[in-house]
Amino acid sequence: MDSANSSFDWAEDLLPVLRTEGIRHVTTVPDGGLASLLKKCEEASDINVTTLTSEEEGIAFACGAWLGGEKAVLFMQSSGVGNCINMLALPSVCRMPCLMLVAMRGEEGEFNPWQVPMARGVPDVLAAMGVTTYRPATAMEIGQKFASAAGLVYETGTTAAVLISQHIVGVKVFDEEKMR
Amino acid sequence: MTTDCMLDRRRLVKALMRQRGDAAVVTGLGAPTYDCFAAGDSNLNFYLWGGMGGAAMLGLGLALAQPDRRVIVVTGDGEMMMGIGSLGTIAAQMPTNLGILVLDNEMFGETGQQVGLTGVQSGIAEMALGAGISRAFTIREESEVAELIMAVTEGKGPIVCVAKVQSGKDPVALPSCDGVLLHHRFRKAVISSS
């Protein structure tokens, strides 16, 4: 993790955005880069966390919550974007708002080659499905970009994703790797 | 799990819709969407024409957002099998107001009647129980229909009911496939009457 980013907990900036926007539902297949954020959501009495078996469930959930007058956001790892592709037709064709936050793997510092192909495909896949993407340059920008994305999504019935680069979320390191 | 599928799906869905009250109904793509429309259109019906595998999860999001309203998902065996993992997600959230009806004809009816997995070895009710759904069962006889309708419309959720239905040719009945229209009329109906 960058030393400039390591001391700054960007997750602190996201909960106020959830509350300002009235987002009461968080759906997720967890990622290590989201651990702090997910812990805060689990601890918040006004936020319901739904753990998914596969990420596309979160797209359908968000549409159902919206139809019932509420808002849901999907937090996932970059590999989960691939699982969402066909389900993205649902908010698209119905013009229902859909907001995603993606912690990237397979970028700078990645050790696992299996993470790389989907990571490389994420921006193109989202663009191909008509999803607006935001890419904060630093940890300090995440809260503001997430707020901008939420504003766009709920005002215009758009689908948007905020991508958090791996240099911000940090690099996964296994003890065995260290021991080599 | 191979069995004689004998129930008439249109008659079953029509009977269910008579008992729905003010429930919000989500329909899985293909024949279940047509069955529900054929039983009588309603602004409280949300017809899916795509997003295969997502009907139950859309129902979960709706059920959690509208805890005081019954939410009924009517879908097919192929659609439910594609999103079978979502039954675990649903079980964990324990939405007491969610009833799921699977019209199981053991085939992919829309695409040429290819044999589906519930026509080979799989049982959706059994998988639902394994996922942690508190009540799930399968019916094959007319005499069991009343109990099924009671469970779907009033039973403590989350509940998954599977009806083995015939693969007959039903009259064509197609609702609008305009997603924006379906979204706005359904959401308005749900929110304004909640």
Side-chain angles (χ1 to χ4, degrees), chain A residues 24-25 27 48-54 56-58 60-70 86-87 89-90 92-97, chain B residues 46 48 51-55 57-62 64-66 82-83 85-86 88-89 93 177-180 182-184 186-187 190-191:
Chain A
R24 292 207 316 113
H25 302 275
T27 66
N48 179 54
V49 178
T50 296
T51 302
L52 311 166
T53 56
S54 185
E56 72 273 20
E57 293 177 3
F61 181 103
C63 291
W66 173 256
L67 290 170
E70 297 214 330
N86 183 55
M87 202 60 76
L90 175 59
S92 173
V93 78
C94 296
R95 215 184 302 144
M96 290 193 274
Chain B
F46 189 72
L48 286 163
M52 187 164 175
M57 280 304 297
L58 194 144
L60 175 64
L62 181 59
L64 294 182
Q66 290 278 319
M82 188 174 282
S86 65
T89 306
Q93 293 296 316
C177 61
D178 181 337
V180 178
L182 295 170
H183 154 202
H184 286 292
F186 181 84
R187 187 167 187 265
V190 166
I191 292 173

Side-chain angles (χ1 to χ4, degrees), chain B residues 66-86:
Chain B
Q66 290 278 319
D68 297 328
R69 180 191 295 278
R70 189 69 179 187
V71 173
I72 297 171
V73 175
V74 181
T75 192
D77 52 289
E79 206 278 344
M80 190 68 255
M81 287 293 284
M82 188 174 282
I84 200 72
S86 65

Side-chain angles (χ1 to χ4, degrees), chain B residues 1-9 12 77 101-107 116-126 137-142 144-145 148 161-167:
Chain B
M1 299 297 161
T2 306
T3 181
D4 289 328
C5 298
M6 293 307 295
L7 294 166
D8 182 311
R9 59 190 304 150
L12 191 157
D77 52 289
L101 169 61
V102 181
L103 300 169
D104 184 359
N105 64 358
E106 304 186 349
M107 64 175 62
L117 294 170
T118 57
V120 187
Q121 291 289 342
S122 300
I124 288 173
E126 291 78 358
F137 62 90
T138 303
I139 71 162
R140 296 178 172 80
E141 309 287 341
E142 284 290 343
E144 301 169 297
V145 167
L148 174 132
C161 303
V162 180
K164 293 288 185 177
V165 296
Q166 288 172 355
S167 55

Side-chain angles (χ1 to χ4, degrees), chain A residues 109-154:
Chain A
E110 179 63 62
F111 81 95
N112 181 354
W114 296 62
Q115 288 284 353
V116 176
M118 190 64 237
R120 201 163 44 210
V122 161
D124 287 345
V125 161
L126 291 173
M129 291 309 293
V131 177
T132 302
T133 53
Y134 294 77
R135 180 76 91 137
T138 66
M140 273 75 81
E141 271 187 28
I142 293 173
Q144 178 258 318
K145 291 286 188 197
F146 187 72
S148 297
L152 178 85
V153 161
Y154 295 114

